[in-house]
DNA sequence: GTCTATAGACGGATAGAC
DNA sequence: GTCTATCCGTCTATAGAC
């Protein structure tokens, strides 16, 4: 796509014809989205340092300089991937709010998290890799976004315990267990595949695993069945 | 340490004076061990590609060329770190054999795994990072060493279920949950620290977390208490 | 066995034509 | 907005003196 007669647009006219502006905005939007998706894959496969901008650009079918036109530095691109990931995770986390019944709320959350591991395993890997290597590029997300969410959930779980709906468990430990176990199916899928001797879990096998995890977690909570 | 008159040792004499050979072997041993420890730390902090041989050598207080004298390539060093790690993990895994009582065996295993996360968090991170990025450098360890171990443990757990000592759980899912949760305390410690707003878990806080995890896992198994 | 110096490849980022 | 050519830094690995 060439710029054509609009080259000096910014100088001559602050307001370009609407259709042209829309077209240009559209190009930026799709290119950025495509680069973000390709970056997520390469970062997941190779890590932040193992991934090169050349690899990401090649996967996106663009020259490397083009990538640097949309994202000034590799780190800026990486940050955007992490922010996108948090948004997705946060939407999933809202499932927790849907019910005041602990069994329903917790099993719903576990299912949503497993579904997220299934739907976006590469993203989960980028997130995990970043934390493993010290979370240096996402301290703000953790303290400003994840921490407040966690604290409200702990309060809710503590109340369930106080009302005798759950065994006297530590809420944070429970949430860590749910995160660790559900994300294990995304992050450690290479190990799971090697140990099961399979190429990948089928949708059916994944659904079965989901229900097994739900069963284990619900029993771990010592939830009184809602009789 | 210089080679001195022993430079042509291999040509002139297959059997050097015992004390000299022992001293030289000792140098190699300590330097290799020291390099392995430093490599584990740098690989954990930066990942395979993020770590440079220069950083590892500097941390070990040796010139880079010296590192390449002991380990021909960065990948060979990395492999050795992974193999060391497996040996440690495998020793910990043996705890499982100590008892035929499921509650005792499983809670003992969980405690040992938590202790391993406490004692060697850097190693756990190297292991996790390698798997997240596809486990390309440890396929053989997974299929030849971890898989057989897992299969024997699945048999034992299935027998406990058949004997009615545990609820009807899927053994593999249970083991994945134990791995994921216990290793979470090593691999995701940066996240845990950010969420708890603390520098690090004290020994006491870690022991408390351990007992919470044991409680959750044992309840998840639906173990009949050994009354 | 130790260490300096450097070869050779590759990475991130930019200049500047179109 | 696109893309070629290129700068400059860093990385792995080795040569070769001591």
């Amino acid at each position: 796509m060439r710029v054509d007669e609009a080259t000096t647009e910014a100088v001559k006219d602050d307001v370009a014809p609407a259709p042209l502006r829309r077209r240009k905005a559209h190009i930026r939007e799709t290119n950025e989205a495509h680069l973000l998706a390709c970056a997520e894959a390469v970062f997941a496969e190779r890590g932040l340092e193992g991934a090169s901008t050349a690899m990401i650009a090649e996967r996106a079918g663009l020259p490397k300089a083009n990538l640097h036109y949309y994202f000034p530095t590799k780190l800026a691109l990486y940050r955007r991937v992490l922010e996108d990931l948090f948004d997705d995770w946060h939407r999933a986390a809202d499932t927790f709010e849907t019910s005041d019944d602990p069994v329903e709320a917790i099993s719903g959350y576990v299912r949503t998290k497993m579904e997220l591991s299934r739907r976006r395993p590469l993203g989960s890997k980028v997130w995990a890799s970043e934390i493993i290597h010290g979370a240096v590029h996402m301290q703000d997300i953790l303290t400003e976004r994840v921490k407040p969410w966690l604290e409200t959930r702990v309060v809710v779980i503590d109340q369930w315990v106080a009302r005798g709906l759950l065994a006297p468990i530590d809420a944070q430990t429970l949430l860590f267990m749910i995160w660790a176990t559900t994300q294990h199916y995304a992050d450690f899928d290479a190990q799971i595949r090697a140990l099961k001797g399979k190429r990948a879990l089928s949708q059916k096998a994944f659904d079965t695993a989901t229900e097994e995890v739900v069963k284990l977690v619900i029993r771990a909570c010592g939830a009184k069945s809602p009789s």
Side-chain angles (χ1 to χ4, degrees), chain A residues 1-3 10-11 33-34 42 48-49 56 67 95 102 114 117 121 138 146 152 165-166 177 182-183 192 212 218:
Chain A
M1 244 247 188
R2 296 300 169 87
V3 170
V11 176
H34 188 214
V42 178
L48 169 58
E49 328 264 353
I56 296 170
L67 179 152
T95 320
M114 285 295 279
S117 281
M138 55 184 289
V146 181
T152 64
L165 297 172
L166 297 179
M177 174 184 248
T182 56
Q183 290 167 203
I192 293 174
E212 283 296 328
I218 292 301

Side-chain angles (χ1 to χ4, degrees), chain A residues 16-223:
Chain A
L20 180 60
R21 276 202 301 159
R22 234 183 290 126
R23 208 189 319 140
K24 288 179 73 175
H26 182 252
I27 289 172
R28 171 169 286 271
E29 224 171 287
T30 54
N31 276 348
E32 280 192 2
H34 188 214
L35 279 166
L36 280 169
C38 294
E40 183 172 311
V42 178
F43 285 137
E45 281 165 21
R46 310 281 312 253
L48 169 58
E49 328 264 353
S52 76
T53 52
M55 292 166 82
I56 296 170
E58 193 191 6
R59 182 170 305 213
L62 293 170
K64 190 172 51 157
N66 207 329
L67 179 152
H68 279 98
Y69 172 74
Y70 289 106
F71 300 94
T73 65
K74 181 166 89 160
L75 212 60
L77 174 56
Y78 184 67
R79 267 292 305 203
R80 279 288 302 278
V81 171
L82 289 176
E83 281 160 12
D84 262 33
L85 248 26
F86 172 79
D87 290 341
D88 209 358
W89 176 86
H90 193 242
R91 272 190 297 276
D94 272 350
T95 320
F96 222 120
E97 333 268 312
T98 51
S99 174
D100 191 47
D101 173 56
V103 172
E104 210 176 294
I106 293 171
S107 56
Y109 181 53
V110 171
R111 285 198 187 90
T112 309
K113 284 283 293 164
M114 285 295 279
E115 163 64 16
L116 194 56
S117 281
R118 172 81 177 171
R119 177 168 58 79
R120 207 173 177 182
L122 298 174
S124 184
K125 286 180 184 183
V126 175
W127 185 274
S129 188
E130 170 59 22
I131 292 172
I132 285 174
H133 298 127
V136 279
H137 303 111
M138 55 184 289
Q139 279 300 318
D140 55 335
I141 297 179
L142 288 178
T143 55
E144 291 163 25
R145 310 269 251 128
V146 181
K147 190 163 183 271
W149 181 89
L150 180 71
E151 280 159 3
T152 64
R153 290 308 99 194
V154 166
V155 168
V156 171
I157 294 173
D158 284 349
Q159 285 169 354
W160 285 331
V161 171
R163 284 160 58 193
L165 297 172
L166 297 179
I169 52 175
D170 180 67
Q172 238 180 43
T173 310
L174 173 67
L175 285 167
F176 287 169
M177 174 184 248
I178 291 173
W179 287 350
T181 306
T182 56
Q183 290 167 203
H184 183 86
Y185 283 85
D187 304 339
F188 281 62
D189 77 320
Q191 177 172 284
I192 293 174
R193 278 184 280 122
L195 295 180
K196 289 199 186 259
K198 292 189 183 172
R199 293 222 170 212
L201 286 188
S202 67
Q203 177 69 52
K204 209 182 136 194
F206 202 90
D207 291 343
T208 307
T210 298
E211 292 314 310
E212 283 296 328
V213 172
V214 169
K215 218 166 66 182
L216 285 173
V217 170
I218 292 301
R219 204 172 13 234
C221 298

